[in-house]
Amino acid sequence: MLIGKKKKIANYLKERKDNFSNFDLILKDYLSGNLITELKKIGLSKIEIHLDWFDDIKDVGIQAKHKDYFLDIQIDKKELAIGCSKSEPDCDEFISIDGEPDSCYIYSIIQKRIAQI
């Protein structure tokens, strides 16, 4: 990821002060390197992370593997979309992430989904 994008995200989080959403907590984990650590803890491997950071679109895209399955995870300010397939997954499950900020909530959603495969 470009240094400029990381700086934009850091500035965005600084502006949020301590009023973080679940999306913001994932961004904080990304910047600290904790996002990959947490995803590995729940059993994901071959993790690739892509951030879209534009005026009108801000999201975290994650592609990973669990066993013989590929996962596609998209996280934006309002929801987490997740798909799982043995070939090319399409996000087919959409879960609202509004509510009390807790980054463990996001990881638990992903963990519940992979427990189903």
Side-chain angles (χ1 to χ4, degrees):
M1 178 156 108
L2 301 173
I3 300 288
K5 194 181 288 187
K6 283 186 178 182
K7 187 172 184 170
K8 286 180 184 179
I9 293 167
N11 287 339
Y12 163 83
L13 292 171
K14 194 175 190 179
E15 289 173 9
R16 302 281 297 162
K17 301 192 181 192
D18 289 329
N19 189 22
F20 296 125
S21 67
N22 282 310
F23 177 69
D24 299 338
L25 294 174
I26 292 298
L27 291 173
K28 284 182 71 170
D29 281 356
Y30 174 77
L31 289 179
S32 71
N34 197 45
L35 180 56
I36 289 178
T37 301
E38 291 298 321
L39 294 172
K40 285 180 179 179
K41 280 184 191 176
I42 61 175
L44 299 185
S45 63
K46 300 194 186 286
I47 300 164
E48 293 180 20
I49 300 172
H50 174 80
L51 280 93
D52 287 320
W53 202 260
F54 305 103
D55 289 339
D56 57 340
I57 299 172
K58 291 179 175 36
D59 71 21
V60 177
I62 301 167
Q63 293 180 331
K65 246 188 126 174
H66 178 70
K67 299 180 182 176
D68 293 336
Y69 288 84
F70 295 93
L71 280 86
D72 185 16
I73 303 165
Q74 302 294 320
I75 305 168
D76 66 23
K77 291 181 179 185
K78 295 186 180 196
E79 70 183 3
L80 178 146
I82 189 167
C84 179
S85 168
K86 284 197 173 187
S87 57
E88 291 200 27
D90 290 324
C91 291
D92 57 3
E93 188 174 350
F94 301 88
I95 301 147
S96 172
I97 61 169
D98 288 340
E100 197 64 35
D102 179 2
S103 60
C104 292
Y105 174 67
I106 302 294
Y107 302 123
S108 69
I109 291 171
I110 298 167
Q111 189 170 25
K112 285 177 190 172
R113 180 65 167 102
I114 64 173
Q116 298 170 353
I117 57 176

